[in-house]
PDB file of all heavy atoms in Angstrom:
ATOM      1  N   HIS A 321     129.955 109.920 110.199  1.00 97.00           N
ATOM      2  CA  HIS A 321     128.576 109.890 109.896  1.00 97.00           C
ATOM      3  C   HIS A 321     127.774 110.745 110.931  1.00 97.00           C
ATOM      4  O   HIS A 321     128.260 111.033 112.006  1.00 97.00           O
ATOM      5  CB  HIS A 321     128.044 108.418 109.848  1.00 97.00           C
ATOM      6  CG  HIS A 321     128.531 107.689 108.673  1.00 97.00           C
ATOM      7  ND1 HIS A 321     127.945 107.795 107.451  1.00 97.00           N
ATOM      8  CD2 HIS A 321     129.642 106.982 108.526  1.00 97.00           C
ATOM      9  CE1 HIS A 321     128.613 107.047 106.602  1.00 97.00           C
ATOM     10  NE2 HIS A 321     129.710 106.590 107.195  1.00 97.00           N
ATOM     11  N   SER A 322     126.522 111.173 110.530  1.00 98.00           N
ATOM     12  CA  SER A 322     125.837 112.114 111.348  1.00 98.00           C
ATOM     13  C   SER A 322     125.052 111.480 112.558  1.00 98.00           C
ATOM     14  O   SER A 322     124.693 112.167 113.465  1.00 98.00           O
ATOM     15  CB  SER A 322     124.850 112.873 110.506  1.00 98.00           C
ATOM     16  OG  SER A 322     123.769 112.037 110.040  1.00 98.00           O
ATOM     17  N   LEU A 323     124.647 110.258 112.394  1.00 98.00           N
ATOM     18  CA  LEU A 323     123.779 109.613 113.366  1.00 98.00           C
ATOM     19  C   LEU A 323     122.527 110.397 113.570  1.00 98.00           C
ATOM     20  O   LEU A 323     122.041 110.513 114.719  1.00 98.00           O
ATOM     21  CB  LEU A 323     124.544 109.313 114.681  1.00 98.00           C
ATOM     22  CG  LEU A 323     125.313 107.980 114.660  1.00 98.00           C
ATOM     23  CD1 LEU A 323     126.602 108.174 113.884  1.00 98.00           C
ATOM     24  CD2 LEU A 323     125.602 107.508 115.997  1.00 98.00           C
ATOM     25  N   ASN A 329     113.828 110.445 111.358  1.00 98.00           N
ATOM     26  CA  ASN A 329     112.722 109.563 111.044  1.00 98.00           C
ATOM     27  C   ASN A 329     111.519 109.678 112.087  1.00 98.00           C
ATOM     28  O   ASN A 329     110.459 109.230 111.786  1.00 98.00           O
ATOM     29  CB  ASN A 329     113.171 108.090 110.976  1.00 98.00           C
ATOM     30  CG  ASN A 329     114.045 107.886 109.775  1.00 98.00           C
ATOM     31  OD1 ASN A 329     114.224 108.846 108.925  1.00 98.00           O
ATOM     32  ND2 ASN A 329     114.699 106.756 109.636  1.00 98.00           N
ATOM     33  N   HIS A 419     122.868 100.615 115.634  1.00 98.00           N
ATOM     34  CA  HIS A 419     123.286 101.438 114.451  1.00 98.00           C
ATOM     35  C   HIS A 419     124.414 100.764 113.725  1.00 98.00           C
ATOM     36  O   HIS A 419     125.330 100.186 114.369  1.00 98.00           O
ATOM     37  CB  HIS A 419     123.711 102.850 114.893  1.00 98.00           C
ATOM     38  CG  HIS A 419     123.921 103.744 113.736  1.00 98.00           C
ATOM     39  ND1 HIS A 419     125.167 103.955 113.202  1.00 98.00           N
ATOM     40  CD2 HIS A 419     123.087 104.532 113.006  1.00 98.00           C
ATOM     41  CE1 HIS A 419     125.093 104.807 112.155  1.00 98.00           C
ATOM     42  NE2 HIS A 419     123.910 105.170 112.051  1.00 98.00           N
ATOM     43  N   ASP A 453     116.787 103.456 113.437  1.00 98.00           N
ATOM     44  CA  ASP A 453     116.083 104.322 112.451  1.00 98.00           C
ATOM     45  C   ASP A 453     115.219 103.534 111.580  1.00 98.00           C
ATOM     46  O   ASP A 453     114.764 104.070 110.534  1.00 98.00           O
ATOM     47  CB  ASP A 453     117.154 105.085 111.628  1.00 98.00           C
ATOM     48  CG  ASP A 453     118.185 104.113 111.043  1.00 98.00           C
ATOM     49  OD1 ASP A 453     117.932 102.948 110.736  1.00 98.00           O
ATOM     50  OD2 ASP A 453     119.400 104.584 110.868  1.00 98.00           O
TER      51      ASP A 453
HETATM   52  P1  FAD B  16     124.563 109.493 107.362  1.00 68.12           P
HETATM   53  O1  FAD B  16     125.459 108.629 106.678  1.00 68.12           O
HETATM   54  O2  FAD B  16     125.051 110.558 108.268  1.00 68.12           O
HETATM   55  O3  FAD B  16     123.553 110.101 106.288  1.00 68.12           O
HETATM   56  C1  FAD B  16     122.763 111.210 106.546  1.00 68.12           C
HETATM   57  C2  FAD B  16     121.274 110.954 106.450  1.00 68.12           C
HETATM   58  O4  FAD B  16     120.984 110.582 105.110  1.00 68.12           O
HETATM   59  C3  FAD B  16     120.805 109.819 107.300  1.00 68.12           C
HETATM   60  O5  FAD B  16     120.568 110.186 108.556  1.00 68.12           O
HETATM   61  C4  FAD B  16     119.548 109.368 106.482  1.00 68.12           C
HETATM   62  O6  FAD B  16     118.461 110.044 106.926  1.00 68.12           O
HETATM   63  C5  FAD B  16     119.837 109.718 105.070  1.00 68.12           C
HETATM   64  N1  FAD B  16     120.221 108.527 104.273  1.00 68.12           N
HETATM   65  C6  FAD B  16     121.494 108.106 103.990  1.00 68.12           C
HETATM   66  N2  FAD B  16     121.425 107.010 103.169  1.00 68.12           N
HETATM   67  C7  FAD B  16     120.021 106.762 103.017  1.00 68.12           C
HETATM   68  C8  FAD B  16     119.325 105.744 102.313  1.00 68.12           C
HETATM   69  N3  FAD B  16     119.964 104.809 101.540  1.00 68.12           N
HETATM   70  N4  FAD B  16     118.033 105.739 102.360  1.00 68.12           N
HETATM   71  C9  FAD B  16     117.353 106.676 103.107  1.00 68.12           C
HETATM   72  N5  FAD B  16     117.968 107.631 103.803  1.00 68.12           N
HETATM   73  C10 FAD B  16     119.314 107.686 103.756  1.00 68.12           C
HETATM   74  N6  FAD B  16     118.062 104.342 106.802  1.00 68.12           N
HETATM   75  C11 FAD B  16     117.084 104.554 107.635  1.00 68.12           C
HETATM   76  O7  FAD B  16     116.866 105.735 108.023  1.00 68.12           O
HETATM   77  N7  FAD B  16     116.304 103.618 108.173  1.00 68.12           N
HETATM   78  C12 FAD B  16     116.517 102.307 107.826  1.00 68.12           C
HETATM   79  O8  FAD B  16     115.784 101.459 108.265  1.00 68.12           O
HETATM   80  C13 FAD B  16     117.540 101.998 106.903  1.00 68.12           C
HETATM   81  N8  FAD B  16     117.806 100.700 106.565  1.00 68.12           N
HETATM   82  C14 FAD B  16     118.803 100.420 105.678  1.00 68.12           C
HETATM   83  C15 FAD B  16     119.018  99.130 105.284  1.00 68.12           C
HETATM   84  C16 FAD B  16     119.997  98.795 104.407  1.00 68.12           C
HETATM   85  C17 FAD B  16     120.212  97.430 103.863  1.00 68.12           C
HETATM   86  C18 FAD B  16     120.843  99.812 103.822  1.00 68.12           C
HETATM   87  C19 FAD B  16     121.930  99.530 102.885  1.00 68.12           C
HETATM   88  C20 FAD B  16     120.659 101.142 104.275  1.00 68.12           C
HETATM   89  C21 FAD B  16     119.621 101.460 105.155  1.00 68.12           C
HETATM   90  N9  FAD B  16     119.358 102.894 105.540  1.00 68.12           N
HETATM   91  C22 FAD B  16     118.361 103.066 106.397  1.00 68.12           C
HETATM   92  C23 FAD B  16     120.149 103.918 104.990  1.00 68.12           C
HETATM   93  C24 FAD B  16     121.388 104.316 105.809  1.00 68.12           C
HETATM   94  O9  FAD B  16     122.144 103.194 106.079  1.00 68.12           O
HETATM   95  C25 FAD B  16     121.017 105.012 107.133  1.00 68.12           C
HETATM   96  O10 FAD B  16     120.201 106.100 106.815  1.00 68.12           O
HETATM   97  C26 FAD B  16     122.287 105.598 107.756  1.00 68.12           C
HETATM   98  O11 FAD B  16     123.195 104.610 108.013  1.00 68.12           O
HETATM   99  C27 FAD B  16     121.862 106.240 109.123  1.00 68.12           C
HETATM  100  O12 FAD B  16     123.021 106.728 109.814  1.00 68.12           O
HETATM  101  P2  FAD B  16     123.408 108.296 109.773  1.00 68.12           P
HETATM  102  O13 FAD B  16     122.241 109.045 110.292  1.00 68.12           O
HETATM  103  O14 FAD B  16     124.712 108.388 110.470  1.00 68.12           O
HETATM  104  O15 FAD B  16     123.579 108.491 108.205  1.00 68.12           O
END
Side-chain angles (χ1 to χ4, degrees):
H321 291 273
S322 69
L323 276 79
N329 293 354
H419 186 268
D453 51 32

